[in-house]
Amino acid sequence: MMKKLVEVDWIQERIYLLRGHRVMLSHDLAQLYAVESKVLIQAVKRNLERFPGDFMFQLEIQELNNLRSQNVTSSWGGIRWLPYAFTEQGIAMLSSVLRSPEAIQVNIEIMRTFVGLKRLSHSMKELHDRISHLESRYDTQFKSVFDAIREIINPPIPTKRRIGIRLDEED
């Protein structure tokens, strides 16, 4: 059995939601693949036709600042250029650009992590849907129970007939 090169938790902590996509940043991927960031980006730029906009995009300064503010313990201090963000498909494409056996194994672990996150997300949606269904189903049943309890606690006040002689009647 092959030794696990990367911890899933480490990968999960470096998956961000940007522009509606789950992505990993170039400097984190470079660290995973044990190459310098500039080497990774050079390899990508030499094969740019493999990385359309839905596979990879460069962050804008505001996006980078937002990520930095969310990650208080960030070690991004010396960045001289805006990092690239790679979607799941872009990361899969990296395995065709970075061909070392280590890169292939790292890629496998990253793909497994993305699949695990999708399963978790799907399970959470299913759980939310089931809870919503139960709430709608039982809300009507509990409403009638609560209405019955309210009637017991606060019974309607019967209208009383007045006792006495009415003066406006003519006899």
Side-chain angles (χ1 to χ4, degrees), residues 17-143:
L17 187 63
L18 290 171
R19 300 183 194 176
H21 300 281
R22 286 192 177 116
V23 298
M24 289 188 74
L25 301 181
S26 51
H27 60 269
D28 291 329
L29 289 166
Q31 187 175 352
L32 278 171
Y33 293 121
V35 297
E36 291 183 42
S37 290
K38 68 180 182 179
V39 171
L40 183 129
I41 296 303
Q42 285 173 351
V44 169
K45 286 185 177 180
R46 281 194 301 267
N47 297 279
L48 212 46
E49 69 279 357
R50 295 177 184 249
F51 296 93
D54 58 334
F55 282 30
M56 174 195 78
F57 55 87
Q58 192 167 18
L59 267 63
E60 295 174 2
I61 190 71
Q62 187 60 41
E63 291 170 321
L64 181 63
N65 290 337
N66 287 343
L67 284 175
R68 282 181 174 162
S69 68
Q70 291 173 19
N71 298 299
V72 178
T73 59
S74 169
S75 60
W76 301 347
I79 291 179
R80 293 187 177 143
W81 44 268
L82 293 171
Y84 287 84
F86 291 83
T87 65
E88 183 177 354
Q89 293 85 359
I91 295 168
M93 191 59 73
L94 278 174
S95 67
S96 68
V97 175
L98 304 171
R99 299 179 186 198
S100 72
E102 294 82 12
I104 292 169
Q105 290 305 311
V106 167
N107 233 41
I108 290 169
E109 289 304 316
I110 293 171
M111 292 300 105
R112 285 181 176 152
T113 302
F114 270 97
V115 169
L117 287 173
K118 281 183 184 176
R119 283 186 189 137
L120 179 63
S121 177
H122 184 69
S123 295
M124 295 300 284
K125 184 183 178 334
E126 283 181 352
L127 181 60
H128 178 268
D129 291 347
R130 290 177 80 189
I131 289 171
S132 295
H133 174 72
L134 289 173
E135 283 179 341
S136 66
R137 188 170 142 200
Y138 290 113
D139 276 353
T140 56
Q141 290 179 357
F142 284 122
K143 182 183 180 319

